Amino acid sequence: MNKILLSSLFIFFMGQHLIAQQNQFPSQIWHQGKIITNAGQVFQGNIKYDLDNNLVQMQDQNLETFGASNVSQFEIFDEIYGGIRVFYALPYALATDYETPVFFEILTQGDDIALLCREYIATDNRGVGMYGSMMMNPMWGPQMMGAHRMAFNYYFFKDGKIQKYSQKKKELFDFFGNRADEVELFMRKNRLSHDKRGDLLRITAYYNQLN
């Protein structure tokens, strides 16, 4: 009986821990991971990242901050997603006409094309009513962070350059060229959407298999 009670308490507190994490912005959450610098140095410890400012921090004995211009890649173990996520610093003109190193998450890659991602905080009034935001109340499940939610911009790396994807179906098929009909059939059979993170990963991986 005591073992059952302890197990139940452990599951409850782990659930509350994940709920607390989900109720934070990415720049507030620490993950186990590693950073690889342009000079080839490897740092391991607790890591958190800020894609808005293209920064990654590591906390071991001291707190160190790295910019995208000093890092070739970093990876984290994400408890919420339940796996390792990998980010590369790649040259891209994000806010100006000049290319600078920018952090992109690599969702999937092959010989022909890679799917990249950058998350951001978007304003959203869904889940906000006369009682205010539901936040992360476990009775309602995952909701929005106040009037904000996590959103994603997607990019394809193809023909040696990074191209932003507008999340329109026609543009998606343009990326796949003469394989577009096969990809469209795969999407219909598996009921995949052209603008969802997990579906885009499957679609791109399938296209790379065809090639």
Side-chain angles (χ1 to χ4, degrees):
M1 185 69 177
N2 288 336
K3 288 183 179 180
I4 295 174
L5 177 60
L6 288 172
S7 297
S8 299
L9 287 173
F10 174 77
I11 293 170
F12 172 78
F13 285 118
M14 283 300 294
Q16 294 302 305
H17 171 67
L18 291 178
I19 286 170
Q21 280 199 325
Q22 288 174 322
N23 198 31
Q24 292 178 295
F25 295 117
S27 60
Q28 299 172 310
I29 302 173
W30 290 98
H31 309 268
Q32 282 293 314
K34 67 179 180 181
I35 299 169
I36 302 175
T37 69
N38 292 332
Q41 295 173 292
V42 179
F43 298 91
Q44 294 185 322
N46 290 317
I47 291 173
K48 67 178 179 180
Y49 62 90
D50 180 354
L51 295 191
D52 285 337
N53 296 298
N54 283 297
L55 298 175
V56 59
Q57 291 184 309
M58 191 202 72
Q59 188 175 47
D60 192 3
Q61 295 180 342
N62 300 302
L63 180 65
E64 295 190 64
T65 301
F66 302 83
S69 59
N70 305 119
V71 173
S72 64
Q73 70 179 82
F74 71 90
E75 63 182 52
I76 62 170
F77 179 78
D78 194 313
E79 291 185 10
I80 296 173
Y81 286 98
I84 294 175
R85 299 169 63 193
V86 181
F87 299 76
Y88 283 90
L90 302 172
Y92 184 73
L94 189 63
T96 67
D97 294 332
Y98 300 98
E99 290 188 347
T100 57
V102 172
F103 284 131
F104 291 91
E105 182 179 2
I106 308 297
L107 298 186
T108 184
Q109 58 184 327
D111 293 335
D112 190 67
I113 198 170
L115 175 63
L116 317 178
C117 177
R118 279 178 57 83
E119 62 195 26
Y120 66 97
I121 306 300
T123 302
D124 197 322
N125 292 322
R126 290 178 296 175
V128 180
M130 61 181 292
Y131 299 105
S133 170
M134 295 177 185
M135 299 293 285
M136 280 299 304
N137 191 314
M139 291 181 63
W140 295 299
Q143 297 292 332
M144 307 307 165
M145 296 186 59
H148 300 89
R149 63 181 175 88
M150 287 298 303
F152 302 92
N153 284 321
Y154 301 101
Y155 306 78
F156 286 102
F157 182 78
K158 186 176 183 180
D159 300 327
K161 62 180 180 179
I162 298 173
Q163 304 172 61
K164 189 174 181 180
Y165 168 45
S166 67
Q167 300 189 40
K168 295 179 180 178
K169 187 181 290 187
K170 182 183 181 303
E171 184 180 347
L172 179 65
F173 295 143
D174 288 342
F175 283 114
F176 299 141
N178 59 7
R179 296 287 195 177
D181 290 343
E182 294 169 87
V183 172
E184 185 177 15
L185 181 60
F186 174 76
M187 290 173 62
R188 287 205 306 267
K189 283 183 175 179
N190 293 278
R191 298 181 179 180
L192 301 178
S193 173
H194 65 280
D195 57 0
K196 291 183 179 178
R197 179 185 171 101
D199 290 357
L200 278 172
L201 192 157
R202 288 184 62 189
I203 292 164
T204 308
Y206 175 75
Y207 168 78
N208 281 321
Q209 288 178 359
L210 294 175
N211 287 277

